[in-house]
Amino acid sequence: MAIEQGLPVPSIWGIDASMAGRPIVRGEFIINSITNNQIVGTSNFRGTQLPFNGTWDEKSNQITFNTPFATFSGALSLYEDPSIGIRHYILTGPFLMKAPSLQAGEYGNWLATTDVSYSQLSANEQISQNANALPPVGVFLTSDILYQSNGLP
């Protein structure tokens, strides 16, 4: 795994999406590649891998991608956990459902996380100093999704 343009690639993310404060879907998405700020990957919310493509702006840490049923946008933040040597990557933002979804036109919020061991970071990457900050509560939920889907303890 390489850390390219601020995101680990390839990477598997646990994702949680909600509308009006109610969870609607949980699953995972995989970033397969980033080339010239173009992201290619798959999402899996209901047991079927669906392709997506989008853009990644490394200067603003902004992501936008389209699945067959929704358009997602968001921003990247990091949470360092030096006690266990893990960097958590957190993507959050709004999404808009689109046809052919039965919920086309409705919108909500999403949160996705993945993590990388400090040992996987390059020598150029510094550990940020926000170790005392608490991550959003959704980080714990999406971490559970991520590790349960991959069969890890």
Side-chain angles (χ1 to χ4, degrees), residues 96-114:
L96 175 65
M97 299 300 294
K98 60 185 186 180
S101 170
L102 297 175
Q103 296 170 315
E106 296 190 40
Y107 58 91
N109 294 299
W110 65 284
L111 179 138
T113 62
T114 195

Side-chain angles (χ1 to χ4, degrees), residues 15-140:
I15 186 169
D16 176 67
S18 61
M19 283 187 204
R22 294 184 175 172
I24 60 161
V25 68
R26 294 185 174 122
E28 66 182 26
F29 77 94
I30 298 170
I31 297 175
N32 292 321
S33 67
I34 301 174
T35 306
N36 297 324
N37 294 342
Q38 299 299 306
I39 294 179
V40 175
T42 58
S43 62
N44 182 346
F45 291 107
R46 299 203 177 6
T48 302
Q49 293 289 334
L50 300 171
F52 73 75
N53 56 48
T55 60
W56 167 249
D57 183 334
E58 64 183 285
K59 290 183 175 114
S60 65
N61 285 334
Q62 300 288 315
I63 189 171
T64 302
F65 62 95
N66 293 295
T67 70
F69 298 99
T71 297
F72 294 80
S73 62
L76 175 69
S77 60
L78 302 176
Y79 171 70
E80 305 289 355
D81 195 341
S83 65
I84 59 173
I86 296 288
R87 172 179 285 171
H88 298 276
Y89 292 80
I90 306 162
L91 290 168
T92 58
F95 69 90
L96 175 65
M97 299 300 294
K98 60 185 186 180
S101 170
L102 297 175
Q103 296 170 315
E106 296 190 40
Y107 58 91
N109 294 299
W110 65 284
L111 179 138
T113 62
T114 195
D115 51 55
V116 172
S117 168
Y118 285 171
S119 65
Q120 293 176 288
L121 299 175
S122 74
N124 296 345
E125 293 185 278
Q126 296 183 358
I127 308 304
S128 68
Q129 300 302 311
N130 70 343
N132 293 327
L134 290 176
V137 69
V139 168
F140 303 105

